Amino acid sequence: MKTILAAYSGTLKGTGSGILSALQDLSVAFWPCRSKMEKHLQLLSVLQWVITFLVLGAACTVLLIYMFCTDCWLISAIYTAWLIVDWNTPKQGKTSKMSIWETLSKLIGQGAVLIKTHDLLPSRNYIFGYHPHGIFCFGAFCNFGTEATGFSKKFPGIKPSLATLAGNFRLPVLRDYLMSGGICPVNRNSIDYLLSCSGTGNAVVIVVGGAAESLQCVPGKNSVTLKNRKGFVRLALQKGSDLVPVYSFGENDSYKQVIFEEGTLWRCIQKKLQKILGFAPCLFHGCGLFFGNSWGIAPYCKPITTIG
């Protein structure tokens, strides 16, 4: 208000200061600049990815069951029928990336960098062994599930398919969300299809350590789970595919996790649930939405450098 009054009085006095310039100054004061808007959009994009993995599958399952008991039962019935018909599609590795990911990937992957160390021939198929798992595999998703770091330009002719827990594809809506990003289940059928029945130039990205590796996720520490996890090597030999080691530095810095000592009750509970559910229930936290020193589910703003 003071700005407007000052401009108005300036106009009356003939100083040349106009109402228009005053309104522009006022809009700058109340409306965030472009850089701040981009940061807000980046945060929202990352949060939708995090919240989706945390609650979307369970929430949509409950909602689908609830809708069967309401007047909207027909919607649930149609979706369930389609779900039954389309049930085996993810197992066959048949996914397609929607254009919306082109926008979201640029926002989600702002802090991700992909460094190429060797050219890959489009006439071959590949298995990428990715480490570490981290909490949400941000590096794997940004680099191989999206075009945030320009994978197709750095590796022309190679089509990456990020493989994730097969149980995620049993949950309604979440399975469609993942398939829209070109993500496939990490099972024998889908990998066989991609490496044997889909021509050449395919790269299946497997997070080798899986849920067990996420339990060792600590900022500043690199711990790899590889013992008794050599099935991907045998698969590469059977399919005649090349192995490509991939490592993301900074993946473990996105969140802070409470690590329970081996042999403790809580550690035993984590491992037991991991065997039952297929994923490890980690006790972690990031930063808050409005204050960087507060706790929240937003990841810490740390760069992730992936080398492959």
Side-chain angles (χ1 to χ4, degrees):
M1 183 60 70
K2 290 182 179 180
T3 305
I4 297 178
L5 291 175
Y8 182 68
S9 61
T11 302
L12 292 179
K13 294 176 182 179
T15 60
S17 177
I19 293 292
L20 181 59
S21 62
L23 291 176
Q24 289 176 345
D25 294 339
L26 192 65
S27 65
V28 170
F30 285 95
W31 188 258
C33 61
R34 181 181 178 84
S35 61
K36 290 184 178 180
M37 284 293 293
E38 289 180 351
K39 289 183 179 179
H40 294 331
L41 290 174
Q42 291 168 17
L43 178 60
L44 290 175
S45 299
V46 172
L47 283 178
Q48 68 84 25
W49 169 254
V50 172
I51 295 173
T52 292
F53 266 86
L54 290 177
V55 302
L56 182 63
C60 289
T61 301
V62 174
L63 180 61
L64 188 67
I65 297 173
Y66 170 76
M67 289 178 64
F68 269 112
C69 303
T70 66
D71 294 336
C72 299
W73 65 269
L74 183 60
I75 298 176
S76 295
I78 293 174
Y79 179 79
T80 303
W82 178 83
L83 195 63
I84 295 173
V85 173
D86 195 59
W87 187 256
N88 291 324
T89 298
K91 296 180 181 179
Q92 298 173 353
K94 297 178 180 179
T95 60
S96 59
K97 194 171 295 184
M98 295 178 64
S99 59
I100 187 175
W101 286 111
E102 296 301 320
T103 302
L104 289 178
S105 65
K106 294 177 183 178
L107 297 171
I108 295 175
Q110 287 292 323
V113 178
L114 176 62
I115 299 177
K116 183 180 77 170
T117 59
H118 199 278
D119 292 331
L120 300 181
L121 299 175
S123 58
R124 302 282 297 173
N125 284 327
Y126 303 90
I127 295 180
F128 286 20
Y130 181 90
H131 290 282
H133 184 283
I135 299 294
F136 287 107
C137 293
F138 282 121
F141 176 70
C142 291
N143 290 293
F144 309 115
T146 74
E147 276 295 319
T149 54
F151 180 90
S152 62
K153 294 180 179 179
K154 295 178 181 179
F155 298 95
I158 305 298
K159 178 185 175 183
S161 297
L162 178 60
T164 187
L165 186 66
N168 290 327
F169 294 86
R170 300 189 185 102
L171 299 175
V173 181
L174 177 61
R175 68 186 293 276
D176 305 298
Y177 177 89
L178 295 175
M179 291 171 63
S180 71
I183 301 175
C184 67
V186 59
N187 58 28
R188 187 60 180 263
N189 292 334
S190 60
I191 295 176
D192 280 350
Y193 175 84
L194 290 169
L195 297 180
S196 302
C197 307
S198 188
T200 59
N202 297 295
V204 180
V205 184
I206 301 176
V207 184
V208 180
E213 197 170 75
S214 66
L215 292 176
Q216 304 294 335
C217 172
V218 178
K221 180 181 178 181
N222 293 286
S223 179
V224 172
T225 301
L226 191 57
K227 187 178 181 180
N228 299 326
R229 292 174 180 267
K230 301 182 177 63
F232 70 101
V233 178
R234 182 172 60 253
L235 184 62
L237 291 172
Q238 292 173 350
K239 301 300 178 183
S241 302
D242 297 331
L243 287 173
V244 179
V246 181
Y247 200 92
S248 280
F249 295 92
E251 179 74 61
N252 290 343
D253 297 332
S254 298
Y255 288 96
K256 293 181 179 179
Q257 180 183 187
V258 178
I259 302 295
F260 299 105
E261 297 290 337
E262 289 289 344
T264 61
L265 176 61
W266 289 110
R267 189 66 164 188
C268 293
I269 292 175
Q270 282 183 317
K271 291 187 174 181
K272 183 67 69 174
L273 290 175
Q274 176 191 332
K275 292 181 179 179
I276 297 173
L277 302 175
F279 64 90
C282 303
L283 185 59
F284 65 92
H285 73 84
C287 61
L289 299 181
F290 304 104
F291 302 99
N293 57 352
S294 62
W295 288 14
I297 62 172
Y300 290 103
C301 188
K302 303 291 184 179
I304 298 177
T305 302
T306 303
I307 300 177

